[in-house]
């Protein structure tokens, strides 16, 4: 009953779906301030060299480079875990755009996705069937 009142007041189910999709997106994805995403990695970078490059900023607790399943080659990105958010922020600020083995790094705070969460695909307004 409450949903039909909200949907009716806000102009249809499409807007309600868009609103719920936006809220779900915020709930299922959050930034981890002590975990960094590192893109633009050279194929020659391994976990040890990446850890060595970032250890001067603090306690690096884990480094993961993502590899292609078929070829075993680096996909060019990975994640660096720090023991606290201040160290991660210092590393991000200092290393974003800096070259490592000839390639500039793209660094941001990692977004953590919740696995197994529902996927909601919102419909665009003005599609057939709106208002029914």
């Amino acid at each position: 009953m409450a949903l039909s009142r909200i949907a009716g007041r806000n102009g249809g189910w499409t807007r309600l779906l868009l609103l719920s999709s936006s809220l779900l997106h915020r709930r299922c994805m959050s930034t981890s301030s002590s975990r960094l995403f590192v893109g633009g990695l050279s194929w020659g970078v391994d976990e040890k060299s990446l850890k060595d490059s970032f250890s001067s900023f603090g306690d690096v607790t884990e480094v993961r480079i993502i590899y292609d399943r078929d070829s075993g080659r680096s996909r060019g990105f990975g994640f660096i875990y720090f023991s606290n958010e201040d160290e991660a922020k210092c590393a991000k600020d200092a290393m974003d755009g800096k070259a490592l083995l000839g390639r500039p790094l793209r660094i941001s705070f990692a977004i953590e996705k919740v696995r197994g969460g529902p996927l909601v695909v919102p419909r665009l307004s003005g599609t057939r069937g709106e208002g029914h």
Side-chain angles (χ1 to χ4, degrees):
M1 181 112 138
L3 284 179
S4 61
R5 278 187 282 166
I6 292 170
R9 227 181 285 149
N10 290 331
W13 287 104
T14 302
R15 288 188 187 165
L16 179 62
L17 182 59
L18 288 172
L19 176 63
S20 65
S21 174
S22 174
L23 294 173
L24 178 66
H25 178 73
R26 286 189 201 134
R27 192 183 86 217
C28 290
M29 299 178 80
S30 64
T31 58
S32 174
S33 56
S34 62
R35 184 173 109 157
L36 297 178
F37 167 84
V38 181
L41 294 176
S42 167
W43 287 334
V45 174
D46 62 5
E47 281 86 359
K48 183 182 179 334
S49 62
L50 194 56
K51 183 174 183 174
D52 291 346
S53 299
F54 282 82
S55 290
S56 63
F57 300 101
D59 182 26
V60 176
T61 59
E62 185 179 352
V63 174
R64 285 190 188 168
I65 294 177
I66 308 304
Y67 294 94
D68 182 76
R69 279 183 252 178
D70 298 327
S71 69
R73 182 181 272 183
S74 168
R75 294 187 61 199
F77 68 93
F79 299 93
I80 300 174
Y81 299 76
F82 283 89
S83 60
N84 69 57
E85 61 187 70
D86 291 333
E87 295 169 349
K89 183 176 179 348
C90 287
K92 177 190 172 303
D93 292 344
M95 295 294 286
D96 189 29
K98 299 291 191 268
L100 179 62
L101 294 181
R103 296 201 51 190
L105 300 176
R106 295 181 321 273
I107 303 175
S108 61
F109 289 106
I111 295 176
E112 193 168 321
K113 294 182 181 179
V114 176
R115 289 187 176 193
L119 176 64
V120 177
V121 180
R123 292 183 178 259
L124 299 174
S125 60
T127 58
R128 289 187 327 186
E130 186 176 336
H132 293 281

